[in-house]
Amino acid sequence: MPITAVTGSASGIGAALCAQLREAGHTVIGIDRANADINADLATAEGRQLVIEQVLAKSAGTLDHLVLCAGVGVTAPSCGLILAVNYFAVSSLLDGLAEALGNGHEASAVVVGSVASVQPGVDKHPIIAQMLDGDEAGALAAIDDIKEPSLAYAGSKLAVSILVRRKVREWAKRGVRLNVVAPGVVETPLYKASTEDARYGEATRNFVAPLGRGSQPDELANVIRFLLSDQASFMHGTVVFADGGMDAMMRPERF
Ligand code: NAI
């Protein structure tokens, strides 16, 4: 049965996914700050290294699937933390676990992005290039100066999507598929905290998709499980929006 590592396993989408995967017979390695098989802080270089070492030890260097779901939203204590967890931890774990995935059976990985990545103007912001250049200290200092959590969040999710798409050739050579799922509203603690935020609460509550509702974590877990599976054997480097029609509504001519 497949060995699957999942970050953000203690809550929301990651917890729903782990439950589905265990039900389907996967050996799941859950990773989170607490209440996980591997407890570590992905905001720090030490925490990321610990995760990589422990995943390699628990999987004996052969990993079939990786899902990078851990993330923080606009209510995070600092903008730098948003970039550290949502972008730099993802970049580090993809690099650190690529070889183990290359040893896996019909291996694949999924990164959880966001429909926030299509927020107008974010693609032009210099913070995107700074992240993609791997300049963590510089990017964190710059975004903390700007003090715009929604830019930090949208930027982190755009950068991580570009990062994945840039890896298609390298990862195809390893025989590992890599895709992004971009959710819209998912009713999790992260979303609930955003609806109660003094600065962004009203806009978050008004962010309603054409389907007229938010989604449940299991609905996103279904999409991630599909992308991990052989059913998606020709999907690679794709950003799959699972957002109730939000992306199509905001920019129908782009896809
Ligand atoms: P959640 O808050 O329920 O779960 C996120 C998990 O990530 C938590 O268990 C948390 O402890 C973990 N995490 C956060 N910082 C960490 C760190 N430094 N080290 C280790 N683990 C850490 O949130 P949700 O909604 O399930 O979020 C999952 C992913 O989905 C995130 O990447 C989020 O940005 C993304 N997303 C969520 C949306 C929503 O409406 N809920 C919409 C679009 C994307």
Side-chain angles (χ1 to χ4, degrees), residues 7-14 31-34 40-44 68-73 81 85-86 112-116 153 157 181-191 217:
T7 69
S9 60
S11 178
I13 301 168
I31 301 152
D32 211 301
R33 281 181 294 209
D41 181 1
L42 289 167
T44 67
L68 299 178
C69 194
V72 291
L81 185 67
V85 179
N86 296 7
V112 178
S114 172
V115 72
Y153 186 75
K157 295 300 189 177
V181 169
V185 169
V186 195
E187 286 168 3
T188 67
L190 183 152
Y191 170 72

Side-chain angles (χ1 to χ4, degrees), residues 5-247:
V6 180
T7 69
S9 60
S11 178
I13 301 168
L17 176 67
C18 288
Q20 288 193 12
L21 292 171
R22 287 195 171 107
E23 177 75 27
H26 288 230
T27 298
V28 176
I29 304 170
I31 301 152
D32 211 301
R33 281 181 294 209
N35 304 316
D37 303 303
I38 301 173
N39 297 313
D41 181 1
L42 289 167
T44 67
E46 300 74 36
R48 296 167 199 158
Q49 193 52 38
L50 181 89
V51 167
I52 291 165
E53 284 167 13
Q54 292 206 7
V55 169
L56 293 177
K58 285 179 188 293
S59 66
T62 299
L63 192 60
D64 301 303
H65 303 300
L66 173 67
V67 180
L68 299 178
C69 194
V72 291
V74 291
T75 61
S78 75
C79 290
L81 185 67
I82 299 175
L83 266 50
V85 179
N86 296 7
Y87 179 81
F88 288 101
V90 170
S91 174
S92 164
L93 264 58
L94 288 176
D95 288 346
L97 296 171
E99 194 179 326
L101 284 161
N103 298 333
H105 177 66
E106 293 172 349
S108 57
V110 172
V111 172
V112 178
S114 172
V115 72
S117 62
V118 308
Q119 187 175 298
V122 172
D123 54 338
K124 306 285 186 304
H125 201 281
I127 200 73
I128 303 298
Q130 226 167 346
M131 279 185 268
L132 289 165
D133 287 346
D135 176 10
E136 181 162 4
L140 266 55
I143 202 74
D144 276 334
D145 272 356
I146 299 169
K147 296 185 176 42
E148 187 69 65
S150 71
L151 169 66
Y153 186 75
S156 70
K157 295 300 189 177
L158 176 61
V160 95
S161 305
I162 296 170
L163 179 78
V164 162
R165 289 170 65 77
R166 284 185 176 174
K167 289 185 183 295
V168 278
R169 285 166 71 91
E170 179 198 336
W171 280 54
K173 283 187 200 144
R174 281 202 181 89
V176 184
R177 293 185 302 102
L178 177 60
N179 292 289
V180 176
V181 169
V185 169
V186 195
E187 286 168 3
T188 67
L190 183 152
Y191 170 72
K192 188 166 184 296
S194 308
T195 63
E196 292 163 357
D197 184 63
R199 188 165 172 187
Y200 298 114
E202 192 180 353
T204 306
R205 291 191 298 275
N206 291 338
F207 191 69
V208 179
L211 284 184
R213 65 174 178 87
S215 65
Q216 295 305 308
D218 271 323
E219 295 181 270
L220 270 298
N222 289 338
V223 179
I224 296 169
R225 268 205 311 140
F226 164 71
L227 284 172
L228 290 179
S229 77
D230 286 355
Q231 302 280 304
S233 54
F234 207 54
M235 295 182 77
H236 183 46
T238 300
V239 180
V240 176
F241 288 88
D243 64 352
M246 187 63 84
D247 172 49

